[in-house]
Amino acid sequence: MKLFVIVALVAVASAAPQNPQDVQILRYDSNNDGLNAYDFAWELSDGSKHQEQGQLKNQGTENEAISVQGQYSWVAPDGITYTVTYIADENGFQPQIQQGAGGAIPPAVIASLVG
């Protein structure tokens, strides 16, 4: 499985136009034995990142399910980094979004606009 992922990444990278402004893969890690758990992480040269871990819960029962947690982030065109941290389990998808410095409108500005 790991060999297939590496070959696919190399194929995508070699098919892309060679331009200094293209986004590059800086890191890609993946561990998945197909049994009880997995994890992966990647990072791109544009500041985008994603990491995730999953684990099988209640294996062999009628309540068998996968529990996932992770986070991803990206840099928006305005230069602000946004990060989503999440859990996905028997309680559904539970994201939390955070903005980097400068990503929020100051409360005083909002108050002046609202009246």
Side-chain angles (χ1 to χ4, degrees), residues 4 14 17 33 35 43 47 72-73 77 80 88 95 108 110:
F4 173 75
S14 63
D33 63 9
L35 299 174
E43 184 174 349
Y72 57 93
S73 62
I80 307 297
I110 294 173

Side-chain angles (χ1 to χ4, degrees), residues 53-106:
Q53 304 86 36
Q55 181 175 348
L56 187 61
K57 294 171 61 175
N58 304 315
Q59 185 175 7
T61 71
E62 66 180 48
N63 295 325
E64 182 175 282
I66 193 161
S67 175
V68 176
Q69 63 181 12
Q71 74 176 31
Y72 57 93
S73 62
W74 70 96
V75 179
D78 60 4
I80 307 297
T81 299
Y82 295 88
T83 301
V84 177
T85 303
Y86 60 90
I87 296 173
D89 59 14
E90 65 274 5
N91 298 314
F93 182 65
Q94 306 155 54
Q96 294 181 346
I97 302 171
Q98 301 155 346
Q99 299 179 46
I105 299 171

Side-chain angles (χ1 to χ4, degrees), residues 4 18 24 36 51 71 84 106:
F4 173 75
Q18 298 302 313
Q24 302 295 313
N36 298 320
Q51 63 86 25
Q71 74 176 31
V84 177

Side-chain angles (χ1 to χ4, degrees), residues 27-41:
R27 181 174 71 106
Y28 182 81
D29 299 316
S30 178
N31 297 300
N32 184 350
D33 63 9
L35 299 174
N36 298 320
Y38 72 90
D39 63 81
F40 70 83

